Amino acid sequence: MSAKINERFGYVSHAEEKSDAPAINSGPCGPFVNEFYKAWNARFKNRVKIAFVMQN
């Protein structure tokens, strides 16, 4: 699953790291969460609910 996620969202370079890191780990994760939400709810009876916690 992680390979497919990284294929879809790509990688980003960070100055402090020697290799590229998955873009999904760099935020914002909203586009991934939206796709997960739609895919899960299309497949399963127990629907998932997503909430974001944000600070000022």
Side-chain angles (χ1 to χ4, degrees):
M1 179 189 271
S2 63
K4 289 290 187 183
I5 292 168
N6 293 334
E7 180 181 313
R8 170 77 166 97
F9 291 96
Y11 293 84
V12 294
S13 295
H14 295 287
E16 65 276 359
E17 296 179 20
K18 294 181 179 175
S19 63
D20 293 342
I24 196 69
N25 296 344
S26 298
C29 60
F32 170 76
V33 171
N34 187 47
E35 288 189 30
F36 173 85
Y37 173 84
K38 291 188 291 185
W40 180 278
N41 287 343
R43 288 178 176 90
F44 302 104
K45 277 179 123 173
N46 295 333
R47 299 177 67 84
V48 68
K49 294 181 182 178
I50 305 291
F52 289 90
V53 177
M54 302 174 81
Q55 298 177 340
N56 289 337

Short mmCIF file of all heavy atoms in Angstrom, two decimals:
data_model
loop_
_atom_site.label_atom_id
_atom_site.label_comp_id
_atom_site.label_asym_id
_atom_site.label_seq_id
_atom_site.Cartn_x
_atom_site.Cartn_y
_atom_site.Cartn_z
N MET A 1 0.82 -1.19 0.00
CA MET A 1 0.00 0.00 0.00
C MET A 1 0.87 1.26 0.00
O MET A 1 0.58 2.20 -0.71
CB MET A 1 -0.93 0.00 1.21
CG MET A 1 -1.80 1.24 1.26
SD MET A 1 -2.73 1.42 2.78
CE MET A 1 -4.19 0.55 2.38
N SER A 2 1.95 1.26 0.79
CA SER A 2 2.78 2.46 0.87
C SER A 2 3.44 2.77 -0.47
O SER A 2 3.60 3.94 -0.83
CB SER A 2 3.83 2.33 1.97
OG SER A 2 4.70 1.27 1.70
N ALA A 3 3.80 1.75 -1.23
CA ALA A 3 4.40 1.98 -2.55
C ALA A 3 3.42 2.67 -3.48
O ALA A 3 3.79 3.59 -4.22
CB ALA A 3 4.88 0.66 -3.15
N LYS A 4 2.16 2.27 -3.44
CA LYS A 4 1.13 2.90 -4.28
C LYS A 4 0.88 4.34 -3.84
O LYS A 4 0.68 5.22 -4.67
CB LYS A 4 -0.18 2.09 -4.22
CG LYS A 4 -0.11 0.79 -4.95
CD LYS A 4 -0.06 1.02 -6.43
CE LYS A 4 -0.16 -0.29 -7.16
NZ LYS A 4 -0.04 -0.13 -8.60
N ILE A 5 0.87 4.58 -2.53
CA ILE A 5 0.68 5.94 -2.02
C ILE A 5 1.82 6.83 -2.48
O ILE A 5 1.60 7.95 -2.98
CB ILE A 5 0.57 5.94 -0.47
CG1 ILE A 5 -0.73 5.27 -0.04
CG2 ILE A 5 0.66 7.37 0.07
CD1 ILE A 5 -0.80 4.97 1.44
N ASN A 6 3.05 6.34 -2.34
CA ASN A 6 4.20 7.13 -2.75
C ASN A 6 4.25 7.33 -4.26
O ASN A 6 4.68 8.39 -4.74
CB ASN A 6 5.49 6.49 -2.25
CG ASN A 6 5.58 6.53 -0.75
OD1 ASN A 6 5.01 7.39 -0.10
ND2 ASN A 6 6.29 5.58 -0.18
N GLU A 7 3.78 6.36 -5.02
CA GLU A 7 3.71 6.51 -6.47
C GLU A 7 2.74 7.62 -6.84
O GLU A 7 2.99 8.42 -7.73
CB GLU A 7 3.25 5.18 -7.07
CG GLU A 7 3.13 5.17 -8.58
CD GLU A 7 2.65 3.82 -9.08
OE1 GLU A 7 3.18 2.79 -8.64
OE2 GLU A 7 1.71 3.82 -9.91
N ARG A 8 1.63 7.67 -6.13
CA ARG A 8 0.58 8.68 -6.42
C ARG A 8 0.99 10.08 -5.99
O ARG A 8 0.78 11.05 -6.69
CB ARG A 8 -0.70 8.26 -5.71
CG ARG A 8 -1.82 9.27 -5.70
CD ARG A 8 -2.53 9.33 -7.05
NE ARG A 8 -3.78 10.04 -6.95
CZ ARG A 8 -3.90 11.32 -7.27
NH1 ARG A 8 -2.88 12.01 -7.67
NH2 ARG A 8 -5.07 11.91 -7.19
N PHE A 9 1.57 10.22 -4.79
CA PHE A 9 1.86 11.54 -4.22
C PHE A 9 3.31 11.98 -4.37
O PHE A 9 3.63 13.13 -4.12
CB PHE A 9 1.42 11.58 -2.75
CG PHE A 9 -0.08 11.53 -2.60
CD1 PHE A 9 -0.71 10.33 -2.36
CD2 PHE A 9 -0.85 12.66 -2.75
CE1 PHE A 9 -2.09 10.26 -2.24
CE2 PHE A 9 -2.23 12.61 -2.64
CZ PHE A 9 -2.85 11.41 -2.40
N GLY A 10 4.20 11.09 -4.73
CA GLY A 10 5.57 11.44 -5.03
C GLY A 10 6.46 11.60 -3.80
O GLY A 10 6.11 11.20 -2.69
N TYR A 11 7.63 12.18 -4.05
CA TYR A 11 8.66 12.37 -3.02
C TYR A 11 9.11 13.82 -3.02
O TYR A 11 8.98 14.52 -4.01
CB TYR A 11 9.87 11.47 -3.31
CG TYR A 11 9.56 10.00 -3.16
CD1 TYR A 11 9.00 9.28 -4.21
CD2 TYR A 11 9.82 9.34 -1.98
CE1 TYR A 11 8.71 7.93 -4.07
CE2 TYR A 11 9.55 7.99 -1.84
CZ TYR A 11 8.98 7.29 -2.89
OH TYR A 11 8.70 5.96 -2.74
N VAL A 12 9.66 14.26 -1.89
CA VAL A 12 10.22 15.61 -1.77
C VAL A 12 11.61 15.52 -1.16
O VAL A 12 11.92 14.59 -0.42
CB VAL A 12 9.34 16.53 -0.90
CG1 VAL A 12 8.00 16.80 -1.54
CG2 VAL A 12 9.13 15.96 0.49
N SER A 13 12.44 16.48 -1.50
CA SER A 13 13.80 16.54 -0.95
C SER A 13 13.82 17.46 0.26
O SER A 13 13.19 18.52 0.25
CB SER A 13 14.77 17.06 -2.00
OG SER A 13 14.85 16.17 -3.07
N HIS A 14 14.52 17.04 1.29
CA HIS A 14 14.72 17.86 2.48
C HIS A 14 16.22 18.09 2.63
O HIS A 14 17.01 17.16 2.50
CB HIS A 14 14.18 17.16 3.73
CG HIS A 14 12.69 16.97 3.71
ND1 HIS A 14 11.82 18.01 3.89
CD2 HIS A 14 11.94 15.87 3.51
CE1 HIS A 14 10.58 17.55 3.82
NE2 HIS A 14 10.62 16.25 3.58
N ALA A 15 16.61 19.31 2.93
CA ALA A 15 18.03 19.66 3.03
C ALA A 15 18.76 18.80 4.06
O ALA A 15 19.90 18.41 3.85
CB ALA A 15 18.18 21.14 3.36
N GLU A 16 18.09 18.50 5.18
CA GLU A 16 18.75 17.75 6.26
C GLU A 16 18.82 16.24 6.01
O GLU A 16 19.50 15.53 6.71
CB GLU A 16 18.08 18.05 7.60
CG GLU A 16 16.64 17.57 7.72
CD GLU A 16 15.60 18.53 7.16
OE1 GLU A 16 15.96 19.61 6.67
OE2 GLU A 16 14.41 18.18 7.23
N GLU A 17 18.09 15.76 5.01
CA GLU A 17 18.10 14.33 4.71
C GLU A 17 18.91 14.07 3.45
O GLU A 17 18.97 14.89 2.55
CB GLU A 17 16.67 13.83 4.52
CG GLU A 17 15.83 13.93 5.78
CD GLU A 17 14.41 13.44 5.56
OE1 GLU A 17 14.18 12.69 4.61
OE2 GLU A 17 13.55 13.83 6.36
N LYS A 18 19.53 12.91 3.37
CA LYS A 18 20.38 12.58 2.22
C LYS A 18 19.59 11.95 1.08
O LYS A 18 20.12 11.75 0.00
CB LYS A 18 21.50 11.65 2.66
CG LYS A 18 22.46 12.33 3.61
CD LYS A 18 23.58 11.43 4.02
CE LYS A 18 24.48 12.21 4.95
NZ LYS A 18 25.54 11.45 5.51
N SER A 19 18.32 11.61 1.32
CA SER A 19 17.50 11.03 0.26
C SER A 19 16.12 11.68 0.28
O SER A 19 15.77 12.38 1.22
CB SER A 19 17.39 9.52 0.44
OG SER A 19 16.75 9.23 1.65
N ASP A 20 15.37 11.44 -0.76
CA ASP A 20 14.01 11.98 -0.83
C ASP A 20 13.10 11.26 0.17
O ASP A 20 13.28 10.08 0.45
CB ASP A 20 13.45 11.82 -2.23
CG ASP A 20 14.18 12.68 -3.26
OD1 ASP A 20 14.87 13.63 -2.84
OD2 ASP A 20 14.04 12.41 -4.45
N ALA A 21 12.14 12.00 0.67
CA ALA A 21 11.18 11.45 1.63
C ALA A 21 9.80 11.44 0.97
O ALA A 21 9.50 12.28 0.12
CB ALA A 21 11.15 12.30 2.89
N PRO A 22 8.92 10.51 1.37
CA PRO A 22 7.58 10.50 0.81
C PRO A 22 6.87 11.84 1.07
O PRO A 22 6.88 12.35 2.19
CB PRO A 22 6.88 9.36 1.56
CG PRO A 22 8.00 8.47 2.00
CD PRO A 22 9.14 9.40 2.30
N ALA A 23 6.27 12.39 0.04
CA ALA A 23 5.57 13.67 0.17
C ALA A 23 4.40 13.60 1.15
O ALA A 23 4.08 14.58 1.82
CB ALA A 23 5.07 14.14 -1.20
N ILE A 24 3.80 12.43 1.29
CA ILE A 24 2.66 12.27 2.20
C ILE A 24 3.07 12.56 3.63
O ILE A 24 2.24 12.98 4.45
CB ILE A 24 2.03 10.85 2.06
CG1 ILE A 24 0.65 10.80 2.67
CG2 ILE A 24 2.93 9.79 2.63
CD1 ILE A 24 -0.39 11.58 1.94
N ASN A 25 4.35 12.41 3.97
CA ASN A 25 4.82 12.68 5.32
C ASN A 25 5.10 14.16 5.56
O ASN A 25 5.38 14.56 6.68
CB ASN A 25 6.10 11.89 5.60
CG ASN A 25 5.87 10.41 5.58
OD1 ASN A 25 4.75 9.94 5.63
ND2 ASN A 25 6.95 9.66 5.46
N SER A 26 5.04 14.97 4.52
CA SER A 26 5.38 16.38 4.64
C SER A 26 4.17 17.28 4.82
O SER A 26 4.32 18.47 5.05
CB SER A 26 6.15 16.83 3.40
OG SER A 26 7.35 16.10 3.31
N GLY A 27 2.97 16.73 4.69
CA GLY A 27 1.75 17.50 4.83
C GLY A 27 1.58 18.51 3.71
O GLY A 27 2.51 18.77 2.98
N PRO A 28 0.44 19.07 3.52
CA PRO A 28 -0.78 18.65 4.21
C PRO A 28 -1.28 17.31 3.68
O PRO A 28 -1.06 16.99 2.52
CB PRO A 28 -1.77 19.76 3.91
CG PRO A 28 -1.33 20.32 2.60
CD PRO A 28 0.18 20.17 2.58
N CYS A 29 -1.93 16.56 4.52
CA CYS A 29 -2.37 15.22 4.15
C CYS A 29 -3.80 15.19 3.62
O CYS A 29 -4.32 14.14 3.31
CB CYS A 29 -2.23 14.27 5.33
SG CYS A 29 -3.22 14.77 6.75
N GLY A 30 -4.45 16.34 3.50
CA GLY A 30 -5.85 16.41 3.06
C GLY A 30 -6.17 15.65 1.79
O GLY A 30 -7.15 14.91 1.75
N PRO A 31 -5.38 15.80 0.70
CA PRO A 31 -5.71 15.06 -0.52
C PRO A 31 -5.69 13.54 -0.33
O PRO A 31 -6.55 12.84 -0.84
CB PRO A 31 -4.63 15.50 -1.51
CG PRO A 31 -4.21 16.85 -1.02
CD PRO A 31 -4.30 16.77 0.48
N PHE A 32 -4.73 13.05 0.46
CA PHE A 32 -4.67 11.61 0.73
C PHE A 32 -5.89 11.18 1.56
O PHE A 32 -6.53 10.16 1.26
CB PHE A 32 -3.39 11.24 1.47
CG PHE A 32 -3.41 9.82 1.98
CD1 PHE A 32 -3.22 8.76 1.11
CD2 PHE A 32 -3.64 9.55 3.32
CE1 PHE A 32 -3.25 7.45 1.57
CE2 PHE A 32 -3.68 8.24 3.77
CZ PHE A 32 -3.49 7.20 2.90
N VAL A 33 -6.19 11.94 2.59
CA VAL A 33 -7.32 11.59 3.46
C VAL A 33 -8.62 11.55 2.67
O VAL A 33 -9.44 10.66 2.86
CB VAL A 33 -7.42 12.58 4.65
CG1 VAL A 33 -8.70 12.38 5.42
CG2 VAL A 33 -6.23 12.44 5.56
N ASN A 34 -8.81 12.49 1.76
CA ASN A 34 -10.02 12.52 0.96
C ASN A 34 -10.13 11.27 0.08
O ASN A 34 -11.21 10.67 0.00
CB ASN A 34 -10.05 13.78 0.10
CG ASN A 34 -11.36 13.94 -0.62
OD1 ASN A 34 -12.42 13.80 -0.05
ND2 ASN A 34 -11.27 14.24 -1.91
N GLU A 35 -9.04 10.86 -0.55
CA GLU A 35 -9.07 9.65 -1.36
C GLU A 35 -9.32 8.41 -0.51
O GLU A 35 -10.07 7.52 -0.90
CB GLU A 35 -7.77 9.51 -2.14
CG GLU A 35 -7.67 10.51 -3.26
CD GLU A 35 -6.51 10.24 -4.18
OE1 GLU A 35 -6.13 9.06 -4.33
OE2 GLU A 35 -5.99 11.22 -4.75
N PHE A 36 -8.67 8.34 0.66
CA PHE A 36 -8.88 7.22 1.58
C PHE A 36 -10.35 7.14 1.99
O PHE A 36 -10.97 6.07 1.96
CB PHE A 36 -8.00 7.37 2.82
CG PHE A 36 -8.28 6.35 3.88
CD1 PHE A 36 -7.67 5.10 3.84
CD2 PHE A 36 -9.16 6.62 4.91
CE1 PHE A 36 -7.94 4.16 4.81
CE2 PHE A 36 -9.44 5.68 5.88
CZ PHE A 36 -8.83 4.44 5.83
N TYR A 37 -10.92 8.27 2.37
CA TYR A 37 -12.31 8.36 2.81
C TYR A 37 -13.25 7.81 1.73
O TYR A 37 -14.12 6.97 2.01
CB TYR A 37 -12.62 9.83 3.12
CG TYR A 37 -14.06 10.13 3.42
CD1 TYR A 37 -14.57 9.96 4.71
CD2 TYR A 37 -14.90 10.63 2.45
CE1 TYR A 37 -15.90 10.27 4.99
CE2 TYR A 37 -16.22 10.94 2.72
CZ TYR A 37 -16.71 10.75 3.99
OH TYR A 37 -18.01 11.05 4.27
N LYS A 38 -13.08 8.29 0.52
CA LYS A 38 -13.96 7.85 -0.57
C LYS A 38 -13.78 6.35 -0.87
O LYS A 38 -14.78 5.64 -1.05
CB LYS A 38 -13.71 8.68 -1.82
CG LYS A 38 -14.17 10.12 -1.69
CD LYS A 38 -14.08 10.88 -2.99
CE LYS A 38 -12.66 11.12 -3.39
NZ LYS A 38 -12.52 11.97 -4.59
N ALA A 39 -12.53 5.89 -0.91
CA ALA A 39 -12.28 4.49 -1.23
C ALA A 39 -12.80 3.56 -0.14
O ALA A 39 -13.40 2.52 -0.43
CB ALA A 39 -10.78 4.27 -1.44
N TRP A 40 -12.57 3.91 1.13
CA TRP A 40 -13.03 3.07 2.25
C TRP A 40 -14.55 2.98 2.24
O TRP A 40 -15.12 1.89 2.32
CB TRP A 40 -12.55 3.66 3.57
CG TRP A 40 -12.97 2.85 4.76
CD1 TRP A 40 -14.19 2.88 5.37
CD2 TRP A 40 -12.21 1.86 5.45
NE1 TRP A 40 -14.23 1.99 6.42
CE2 TRP A 40 -13.02 1.35 6.49
CE3 TRP A 40 -10.91 1.38 5.30
CZ2 TRP A 40 -12.57 0.38 7.36
CZ3 TRP A 40 -10.47 0.41 6.17
CH2 TRP A 40 -11.30 -0.08 7.18
N ASN A 41 -15.21 4.12 2.16
CA ASN A 41 -16.67 4.13 2.25
C ASN A 41 -17.32 3.46 1.05
O ASN A 41 -18.46 2.99 1.16
CB ASN A 41 -17.17 5.55 2.45
CG ASN A 41 -16.88 6.06 3.84
OD1 ASN A 41 -16.60 5.30 4.76
ND2 ASN A 41 -16.92 7.36 4.01
N ALA A 42 -16.64 3.39 -0.08
CA ALA A 42 -17.18 2.69 -1.24
C ALA A 42 -17.06 1.17 -1.08
O ALA A 42 -17.81 0.44 -1.70
CB ALA A 42 -16.44 3.13 -2.50
N ARG A 43 -16.15 0.71 -0.23
CA ARG A 43 -15.89 -0.73 -0.10
C ARG A 43 -16.52 -1.38 1.12
O ARG A 43 -16.80 -2.57 1.10
CB ARG A 43 -14.38 -0.97 -0.04
CG ARG A 43 -13.68 -0.75 -1.34
CD ARG A 43 -12.17 -0.98 -1.17
NE ARG A 43 -11.46 -0.87 -2.42
CZ ARG A 43 -10.94 0.26 -2.89
NH1 ARG A 43 -11.07 1.38 -2.23
NH2 ARG A 43 -10.31 0.27 -4.03
N PHE A 44 -16.70 -0.64 2.21
CA PHE A 44 -17.09 -1.26 3.49
C PHE A 44 -18.38 -0.67 4.05
O PHE A 44 -18.67 0.50 3.85
CB PHE A 44 -15.96 -1.09 4.51
CG PHE A 44 -14.65 -1.68 4.06
CD1 PHE A 44 -13.62 -0.87 3.63
CD2 PHE A 44 -14.46 -3.06 4.06
CE1 PHE A 44 -12.42 -1.41 3.21
CE2 PHE A 44 -13.26 -3.61 3.64
CZ PHE A 44 -12.25 -2.79 3.21
N LYS A 45 -19.11 -1.53 4.79
CA LYS A 45 -20.34 -1.08 5.45
C LYS A 45 -20.05 -0.12 6.60
O LYS A 45 -20.78 0.84 6.79
CB LYS A 45 -21.11 -2.29 6.00
CG LYS A 45 -21.98 -3.01 5.03
CD LYS A 45 -22.63 -4.19 5.72
CE LYS A 45 -24.13 -4.08 5.60
NZ LYS A 45 -24.80 -5.27 6.10
N ASN A 46 -19.03 -0.43 7.39
CA ASN A 46 -18.65 0.44 8.51
C ASN A 46 -17.93 1.66 7.96
O ASN A 46 -16.74 1.62 7.70
CB ASN A 46 -17.77 -0.31 9.51
CG ASN A 46 -18.50 -1.45 10.17
OD1 ASN A 46 -19.72 -1.40 10.30
ND2 ASN A 46 -17.79 -2.46 10.59
N ARG A 47 -18.67 2.74 7.82
CA ARG A 47 -18.12 3.93 7.19
C ARG A 47 -17.15 4.65 8.12
O ARG A 47 -17.30 4.63 9.33
CB ARG A 47 -19.25 4.85 6.77
CG ARG A 47 -20.16 4.16 5.74
CD ARG A 47 -21.33 4.97 5.33
NE ARG A 47 -20.99 6.15 4.57
CZ ARG A 47 -20.75 6.19 3.27
NH1 ARG A 47 -20.80 5.07 2.57
NH2 ARG A 47 -20.48 7.32 2.66
N VAL A 48 -16.15 5.26 7.53
CA VAL A 48 -15.15 6.00 8.29
C VAL A 48 -15.55 7.47 8.31
O VAL A 48 -16.18 7.98 7.39
CB VAL A 48 -13.74 5.81 7.68
CG1 VAL A 48 -13.63 6.45 6.33
CG2 VAL A 48 -12.67 6.34 8.59
N LYS A 49 -15.23 8.14 9.41
CA LYS A 49 -15.41 9.59 9.53
C LYS A 49 -14.03 10.20 9.77
O LYS A 49 -13.22 9.65 10.50
CB LYS A 49 -16.34 9.93 10.68
CG LYS A 49 -17.75 9.45 10.46
CD LYS A 49 -18.64 9.82 11.61
CE LYS A 49 -20.05 9.27 11.34
NZ LYS A 49 -20.95 9.57 12.44
N ILE A 50 -13.76 11.29 9.13
CA ILE A 50 -12.47 11.95 9.21
C ILE A 50 -12.64 13.31 9.87
O ILE A 50 -13.57 14.05 9.56
CB ILE A 50 -11.85 12.14 7.80
CG1 ILE A 50 -11.77 10.82 7.04
CG2 ILE A 50 -10.51 12.85 7.89
CD1 ILE A 50 -10.78 9.83 7.61
N ALA A 51 -11.73 13.65 10.77
CA ALA A 51 -11.73 14.97 11.41
C ALA A 51 -10.30 15.51 11.43
O ALA A 51 -9.35 14.74 11.53
CB ALA A 51 -12.25 14.86 12.84
N PHE A 52 -10.18 16.80 11.30
CA PHE A 52 -8.87 17.45 11.37
C PHE A 52 -8.81 18.27 12.65
O PHE A 52 -9.76 18.97 13.00
CB PHE A 52 -8.65 18.38 10.18
CG PHE A 52 -8.45 17.67 8.88
CD1 PHE A 52 -9.50 17.35 8.06
CD2 PHE A 52 -7.16 17.30 8.51
CE1 PHE A 52 -9.30 16.69 6.87
CE2 PHE A 52 -6.95 16.63 7.31
CZ PHE A 52 -8.02 16.33 6.49
N VAL A 53 -7.70 18.19 13.35
CA VAL A 53 -7.46 19.01 14.54
C VAL A 53 -6.43 20.06 14.15
O VAL A 53 -5.33 19.73 13.70
CB VAL A 53 -6.95 18.15 15.71
CG1 VAL A 53 -6.64 19.03 16.91
CG2 VAL A 53 -7.96 17.08 16.05
N MET A 54 -6.80 21.32 14.28
CA MET A 54 -5.91 22.40 13.84
C MET A 54 -5.70 23.39 14.99
O MET A 54 -6.56 23.58 15.83
CB MET A 54 -6.53 23.12 12.64
CG MET A 54 -6.80 22.19 11.48
SD MET A 54 -7.67 22.97 10.14
CE MET A 54 -6.31 23.79 9.34
N GLN A 55 -4.52 23.99 14.98
CA GLN A 55 -4.19 25.01 15.97
C GLN A 55 -4.20 26.39 15.31
O GLN A 55 -3.99 26.49 14.11
CB GLN A 55 -2.83 24.75 16.59
CG GLN A 55 -2.73 23.45 17.34
CD GLN A 55 -1.34 23.20 17.86
OE1 GLN A 55 -0.38 23.77 17.39
NE2 GLN A 55 -1.23 22.31 18.83
N ASN A 56 -4.38 27.42 16.12
CA ASN A 56 -4.30 28.79 15.58
C ASN A 56 -2.90 29.08 15.10
O ASN A 56 -1.95 28.65 15.60
CB ASN A 56 -4.66 29.83 16.66
CG ASN A 56 -6.14 29.78 16.96
OD1 ASN A 56 -6.92 29.32 16.14
ND2 ASN A 56 -6.51 30.24 18.12
#
